Amino acid sequence: MITKVLIANRGEIAVRVIRACQELGIATVAVYSDLDRDALHARLADEAYALGGQTAAESYLNTDAILDVIERSGADAVHPGYGFFSENTDFARAITAKGVTFIGPPPEAIEVMGDKVSSRIAAENAGVSGVPGTTQFLTSVDEVIAFGAAHGWPVAIKAAFGGGGRGMRVVESAEDAPAALESAMSEALKGFGRDECYVERYLTWPRHIEMQIIGDQHGNVVWVGERDCSAQRRHQKLVEESPAPDFPDDIRRAMGEAAVKVAKACGYYNAGTVEFLYQDGQFYFLEMNTRLQVEHPVTELVTGIDLVAEQIRVASGEPLSFTQDDIERRGHAIEIRINAEDPAGGRFLPSPGKIDKIVPPQGFGVRWDGGYESGDEVSQFYDNLVGKLILWGKDRPTAIARTLRALREFRIDGIATTIPADIAILEHPDFASARHSTRWVETTLDLSGVASAAAPVTDEGEEKVKREVDVEVNGRRFSVNVWVPASAAAAAPAAGAKGPARARRASSGSGGAGAAAGSGAVAVPMQGTIVKVLVAVGDAVESGQAVCVLEAMKMENQITADKSGTVKEVRVAPGDSVGSGDVVIVIE
Ligand code: MV4
C-alpha cells in the first residue's frame, strides 16, 4: 500500500502526478531546485524539499539529494515522471534498494529497451518486425552497401544507443554510404558516448504511431490505444492525437497485440509505449519508451482511464483495474504542447522569461496540464514546456475546431510561445485531411509567415518590447527575440541588442550608421550566467565591441558596447548570475 509519493520531477508532469495522488488520498512530496522554490509543483504538494542547485544536473538529477529527501520525508514510493531519471536503471535500483517503490517498469526492461538494437532483437524474438534492417552493429561500410543492394535505396543508418533521430543518416546510394556512416558514428559518439550503428530500409513518408500499454505484476498487459505523433519538427513533437486518423480498426488491433507481445517478452509492467512507423498499410516496430509519456493525456481523454492512477495502483502490487475487453475508446483527442519558443519565421527560438499573465482557455472538452501560473518564470535551465492543452471532441473535425478555438482564446503575456505555429498546423488542409507524415512540418508546412504572439505586457500593464539580440551558438550567429519591459529597454538598451524593428530600420536608413549611440549602461537582455568578461576599467571600447559573454538558453550570447568610450565600471565577474535588464558594464 503506497501512502506517500515523492515526485522526482518538476513542471507540468509533477503537477499532474501530484493531482492523481491527491485524488487517491496519497500524500505528496515535491522536490525543487533553487530556481523552483516558488514553482507550482512545490506549492501544490503536501510537502516540498529543496534539492539545492540551479541546473537539472545539480538538482533533479542529483540522486543523493533525492535519496536524502526520501529519508527525511518518509516517502514510500517515487514517481519519476518523464525525462530526468524516468528511464535510469541506476536510479530505479537505488530507490528499490531502500525498500521504496519505483513507480515504473522493472530495471531489466528499461535496460533491454534502452539500446535500439537489443530492443529490435527483443521485438523480433516476440514476432514483431522492425523495418527491415540489420540486428548486428555495423563493422564496415560494405555491409551498408550490401544491404542497400539487397533491400533498395534509400537506407537509414542509425545510432544503436541513440534516440530522437540524432545520429540518423539517410543514404540515397552506395556512393554516399562511406561519408554517411562516418558522420553517423561520429555524431553518435559525441551525442551518446557510443558509436555503434545499424542500418534499415528508409521509409520515405511514414506516420509515427505509438501504442500505449500498461501491465501489472500479475502478468496482465493490455493495450490502451494508439497516438499519432506525426506532426513533429526536428524530432520534437508539436501535436499528438488519438485515435490516429485514417487508421483501420484491424490495424489498430494488430498493432495493440504486437505492442503487448513486445511488453510481455521483456517482462514489462507499469505504463509504457511501443513506437511504430506506419506506411502503406504496414507497421514496423521502432522502439519502446519505458516511461509515462508527455502525450499520455490524449489516451486518457478517449478512454476515460487515469493512467497515472493506474501506474500507482500496479506499482503497489494491485492488478489492473480493467481487462482488455473493458477498454472502450470514444471521440477524438488532440494535444498541443505549449512551449516557450518563438516560432516567428519558423525559427522556434527559445523564449524564456517571466510569465506576466497566463489565462488558459476553458469550456467543454478542454484540459490544461500546466506547470506555471501568472508570475512564474520559465527558466533557460530546464525544458521549455509551459504545459499541454488537450482537447476532446466527438470526432476529429470537432476536436480540430475546438483546438483552434482554444488556441485563439489562450492568453500568455510575457513570453513568446509556439501557439502561432500550432494554429498554422491545425488550419492546414494537409492536417485536416491527415496527409501529413513525420516529414511534413519540415518539408511542406510553410511557417515563414508565422509571427510572434501579440506584444506582451508586464503585470503593471507596461508594454514589453521585443529586442533582437545577436547570439553565437557553436560558431554560428543567430538573432534571438527577447521580450523586455519598454522602460528597461529604454533606460539600459542591451548593447548588442537591436532596438524595436522600427527604430532599427530608421538608424540603418541613415546610411548604415548602425544603432544610435546608447547610454553606456550596458545591460543584459535576459537572465543568464556571465561566462567571460572581455574588458577592464580604463579600456577604450568601440560601439558594438563585445564586452562580456552571457550564457543563457544553453547558448553563449555576446553582449556588446552600445557606445564608444572608456570602461568606467565592470560590475560582474565570470560565474555571476544576472537577471534580465541588469547593467554589467558602464562606459563613459
Ligand atoms: C526511421 C524513419 C524512416 N525510416 N526509420 C526518427 C527518430 C527515431 N525515433 C527514429 N526515426 C525515424 N526512423 C526508417 N527506417 C523516420 C524516422 C523519423 C521519425 C520517426 C518517428 C517520429 C518522428 C520522426 C521524424 C523524422 C524521422
Side-chain angles (χ1 to χ4, degrees), residues 131 156 158 164-165 168 200-203 206 208 232 235 275 277 286-287 438:
V131 181
K158 294 183 170 181
M168 183 169 107
E200 294 178 345
R201 188 162 60 81
Y202 181 65
L203 303 181
H208 181 212
Q232 306 203 12
H235 305 293
E275 288 190 21
L277 289 178
L286 196 56
E287 53 199 62
T438 58

Side-chain angles (χ1 to χ4, degrees), residues 116 120 130-132 154-158 162-166 168 170 198-209 229-237 275-277 279 284-287 289 437-440 442:
K116 304 309 169 201
R120 276 175 62 94
V131 181
V155 301
I157 297 175
K158 294 183 170 181
R166 283 181 61 185
M168 183 169 107
V170 179
Y198 62 101
V199 64
E200 294 178 345
R201 188 162 60 81
Y202 181 65
L203 303 181
T204 54
W205 199 252
R207 295 255 297 278
H208 181 212
I209 297 180
C229 306
S230 301
Q232 306 203 12
R233 176 182 175 274
R234 296 184 186 173
H235 305 293
Q236 298 301 319
K237 295 168 183 171
E275 288 190 21
F276 297 89
L277 289 178
Q279 180 172 300
Y284 307 94
F285 172 82
L286 196 56
E287 53 199 62
N289 300 311
S437 89
T438 58
R439 296 173 60 206
W440 176 72
E442 289 168 273

Side-chain angles (χ1 to χ4, degrees), residues 431-484:
F431 185 83
S433 57
R435 283 198 300 268
H436 61 296
S437 89
T438 58
R439 296 173 60 206
W440 176 72
V441 169
E442 289 168 273
T443 60
T444 308
L445 181 66
D446 178 8
L447 293 174
S448 60
V450 168
S452 289
V457 292
T458 66
D459 252 349
E460 294 71 36
E462 178 191 6
E463 187 194 352
K464 283 188 167 186
V465 293
K466 182 163 66 179
R467 302 295 295 278
E468 211 171 81
V469 176
D470 296 330
V471 299
E472 183 178 302
V473 182
N474 298 336
R476 192 172 156 202
R477 196 172 179 347
F478 292 91
S479 285
V480 178
N481 288 325
V482 181
W483 296 91
V484 294

Side-chain angles (χ1 to χ4, degrees), residues 195-247:
D195 68 357
E196 293 91 337
C197 288
Y198 62 101
V199 64
E200 294 178 345
R201 188 162 60 81
Y202 181 65
L203 303 181
T204 54
W205 199 252
R207 295 255 297 278
H208 181 212
I209 297 180
E210 58 186 35
M211 186 57 77
Q212 179 73 56
I213 60 100
I214 188 163
D216 59 27
Q217 299 185 55
H218 306 279
N220 304 305
V221 182
V222 297
W223 59 275
V224 187
E226 85 284 358
R227 295 184 286 263
D228 186 316
C229 306
S230 301
Q232 306 203 12
R233 176 182 175 274
R234 296 184 186 173
H235 305 293
Q236 298 301 319
K237 295 168 183 171
L238 295 169
V239 179
E240 302 105 342
E241 60 182 307
S242 182
D246 299 339
F247 193 60

